[in-house]
């Protein structure tokens, strides 16, 4: 559904690239996570894909069409949820959605149904200017579904939302995926990516460092650890020991045989830890 | 068409809730009240002449003094210093000092300093004619008036209506459109359009149509409640539409270069002031320096007047309408290109 080959972009139009040799393919019905810290190049890449920045160098095809040759009818197929809520503050929630539903040339969703899905049915007739930050975020998310997009771009869709609403949004994303929607998810929330994405790409300094499923990345770069709390010489101690390292395995055996073990758990490396391990950078 | 209607509906709602319609109606109402009840129907706008004779009065001065005595509101004073003193207190006066030198009357004209060259020449000619009055054979003079039209006298207050229409529906549209675009820029809603099938030309056209509609409503209200219904409506509505589109297209063109209203404010105010400069020439049509006549609002102002008070000069309407149509088309096309470029900034 989305094919990106050797994508470059420079805001200064010189060799200083914000995006450098980025390539990936996204299959129909896949949730693809684009992960990286602020300024890594993920927003630039997404803006090129949705046509907000013109393509300088490289090839991008959306639904099999080269974006350099497509017309605006392509936008009937895509939906975009922006991180910064950009709605008409003087219109109500339902008026905002009704207005955008008239902009598309394809059958659209019922605005009230969408507002209900994101928990805004009670605020449907309230001016968007009176919405809280979280409500605005949900309104933008609902708007991005108005045209039943085949390809859905989500930029930090759960940013600023409470855990309950986050869980609802995650459920909607999964449901849309089951209906065949292809989803490009830009985030620096590793937990969301881990739960939702079929594959993720790590991007730092404009370049992709790794692309794979979260599971494969963990298998490849992560290691199984044992977290153990024990009492030795009347002192409570804590240790994280690798289950693959011979020295750690021996130490674990010693602790079990000679000390009083209080708690012991096995745990996997998180996607965030793997990101740090691969890129050497933290997600902020 | 579905998209354009959707955009129109939305722009109408945003303008309505932004009190654009209310502001337009209130301003129109104020202008109606000012025209009908605050500006008098008649006012003496003639300049008063203060004159004095220095030295002896002679026979040769008689015709000139007779002319000055007969001038409405003229006043004879004792000395030049008395003339100047009184002139300082009344800016609507000029002074004439008469003396005799070498057996000829010498006239010194004291001006306030802001009179234009045409006024000075007219005054000099009047005085010169007064001196020679007795030598003129009136039977040899034939007055010829070009394009003579039977015109009822326009009361002073009603003569302001074309200016009000130029100001309110046309110029207010300029300010409103800039406000509307900057509101969307600040809300960043324009990005949401760009990821929908909406075309830039539809987005801009919808705003122009709303501004033209506002201008027409305001024009009809002001005209009906001041001069009545006996005007050339086709001409008036056509020229106001062209004028309001000009105001809106100019605002659109300016707005593309700025991110927010505060950055653009100085330009918006300056340009709207420049557009209203031709109003200075409204009551003195002979005052027409090139820097005023090149402004599209100059012809527009007289075209509006022609539509309300026909003076047998429909050419001014056609000239203004065609010029504005060409300028509007150019501004609209340039705006589409500039918006596309600035929104898809690399």
């Amino acid at each position: 559904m989305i094919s990106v080959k050797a994508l470059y972009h420079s805001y200064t139009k010189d060799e200083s690239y914000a995006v450098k040799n980025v390539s990936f393919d996204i299959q129909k019905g896949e949730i693809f996570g684009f992960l990286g810290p602020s300024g890594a190049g993920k927003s630039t890449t997404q803006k090129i894909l949705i046509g907000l920045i013109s393509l300088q160098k490289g090839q991008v095809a959306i639904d099999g069409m080269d974006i350099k040759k497509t017309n605006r009818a392509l936008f009937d197929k895509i939906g975009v949820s922006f991180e910064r809520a950009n709605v008409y503050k003087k219109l109500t929630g339902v008026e905002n959605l009704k207005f955008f539903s008239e902009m598309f040339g394809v059958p659209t969703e019922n605005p009230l149904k969408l507002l209900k899905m994101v928990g805004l049915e009670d605020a449907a007739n309230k001016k968007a200017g009176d919405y809280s930050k979280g409500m605005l975020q949900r309104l933008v998310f609902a708007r991005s579904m108005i045209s039943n997009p085949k390809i859905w771009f989500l930029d930090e869709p759960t940013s600023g939302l409470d855990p309950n609403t986050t869980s609802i949004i995650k459920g909607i994303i999964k449901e849309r995926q089951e209906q065949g929607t292809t989803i490009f998810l830009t985030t620096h929330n590793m937990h969301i990516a881990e739960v939702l994405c079929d594959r993720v790409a790590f991007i730092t300094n404009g370049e992709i460092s790794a692309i794979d499923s979260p599971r494969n990345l963990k298998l490849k770069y992560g290691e199984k650890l044992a977290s153990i709390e024990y009492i030795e010489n009347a002192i409570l101690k804590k240790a994280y020991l690798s289950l693959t390292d011979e020295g750690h395995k021996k130490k674990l055996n010693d602790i079990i045989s000679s000390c009083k073990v209080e708690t012991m758990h096995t745990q996997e490396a998180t996607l965030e830890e793997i990101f740090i391990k691969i890129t050497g950078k933290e997600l902020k | 068409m579905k998209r354009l209607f959707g955009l129109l509906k939305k722009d109408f709602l945003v303008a309505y809730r932004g009190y654009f319609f209310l502001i337009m109606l209130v301003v129109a109402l104020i202008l109606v009240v000012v025209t009908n009840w605050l500006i008098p129907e008649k006012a003496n706008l003639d300049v008063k002449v203060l004159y004095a004779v220095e030295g002896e009065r002679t026979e040769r001065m008689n015709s000139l003094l007779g002319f000055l005595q007969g001038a409405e509101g003229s006043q004879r004073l004792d000395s030049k210093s008395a003339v100047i003193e009184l002139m300082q207190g009344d800016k609507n006066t000029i002074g004439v000092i008469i003396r005799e030198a070498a057996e000829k009357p010498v006239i010194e004209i004291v001006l306030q300093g802001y009179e234009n060259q045409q006024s000075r020449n007219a005054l000099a000619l009047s005085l010169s004619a007064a001196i020679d009055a007795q030598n003129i054979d009136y039977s040899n003079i034939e007055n010829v008036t070009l394009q003579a039209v039977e015109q009822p006298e326009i009361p002073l207050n009603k003569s302001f209506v074309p200016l009000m229409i130029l100001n309110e529906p046309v110029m207010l549209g300029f300010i409103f459109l800039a406000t509307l675009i900057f509101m969307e820029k600040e809300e960043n809603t324009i990005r949401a359009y760009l990821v929908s099938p909406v075309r830039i030309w539809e987005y801009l056209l919808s705003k122009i149509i709303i501004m033209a509609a506002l201008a027409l409503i305001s024009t009809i209200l002001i005209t009906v409640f001041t001069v009545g219904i006996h005007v050339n409506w086709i001409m008036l509505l056509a020229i106001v539409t062209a004028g309001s589109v000009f105001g809106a297209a100019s605002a659109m063109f300016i707005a593309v270069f700025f991110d927010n209203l505060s950055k653009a404010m100085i330009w918006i105010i300056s340009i709207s002031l420049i557009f209203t400069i031709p109003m200075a020439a409204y009551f003195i049509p002979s005052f027409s320096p090139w820097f005023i006549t090149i402004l599209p609002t100059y012809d527009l102002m007289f075209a509006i007047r022609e539509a309300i008070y026909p003076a047998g000069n429909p050419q001014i309407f056609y000239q203004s309408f065609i010029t504005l149509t060409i300028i509007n088309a150019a501004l609209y096309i340039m705006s589409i290109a500039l918006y596309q470029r600035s929104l898809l900034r690399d």
Side-chain angles (χ1 to χ4, degrees), chain A residues 33-42 156 186-190 201-205 275 279 282-284:
Chain A
F34 211 53
L35 315 179
S38 300
K42 55 187 196 299
E156 305 286 0
T186 306
T187 185
H188 58 254
N189 184 329
M190 286 290 169
F202 291 162
I203 180 165
T204 49
N205 300 328
F275 183 90
T279 66
E282 285 194 48
L283 279 162
K284 279 180 185 168

Side-chain angles (χ1 to χ4, degrees), chain B residues 251-327:
Chain B
M252 210 158 66
F253 184 75
I254 293 161
V256 78
F257 297 103
F258 301 94
D259 298 329
N260 56 55
L261 190 57
S262 55
K263 281 184 189 168
M265 193 50 93
I266 186 73
W267 284 92
I268 291 169
I269 292 172
S270 306
I271 289 169
S272 57
L273 283 175
I274 290 169
F275 284 162
T276 51
I277 288 176
M279 288 166 73
Y282 183 72
F283 287 105
I284 318 162
S286 59
F287 176 58
S288 54
W290 66 268
F291 60 86
I292 286 186
T293 53
I294 58 161
L295 293 170
T297 43
Y298 178 82
D299 281 351
L300 172 62
M301 178 176 70
F302 288 111
I304 294 171
R305 188 168 75 175
E306 184 64 26
I308 298 174
Y309 305 118
N313 187 19
Q315 293 89 329
I316 189 75
F317 164 77
Y318 295 117
Q319 184 179 315
S320 177
F321 189 79
I322 291 167
T323 309
L324 285 172
T325 305
I326 293 167
I327 294 173

Side-chain angles (χ1 to χ4, degrees), chain B residues 189-242:
Chain B
T189 40
I190 201 149
R191 277 186 184 271
Y193 288 127
L194 291 172
V195 293
S196 77
V198 176
R199 273 85 167 170
I200 294 289
W201 70 264
E202 294 168 322
Y203 163 78
L204 296 176
L205 182 62
S206 151
K207 287 176 174 42
I208 288 177
I209 292 173
I210 291 290
M211 290 305 130
L214 271 167
L216 292 177
I217 293 168
S218 173
T219 299
I220 292 168
L221 284 176
I222 294 174
T223 308
V224 168
F225 290 104
T226 53
V227 296
I229 56 167
H230 299 293
V231 299
N232 187 336
W233 284 107
I234 295 174
M235 201 185 262
L236 180 62
L237 298 182
I239 199 67
V240 166
T241 304

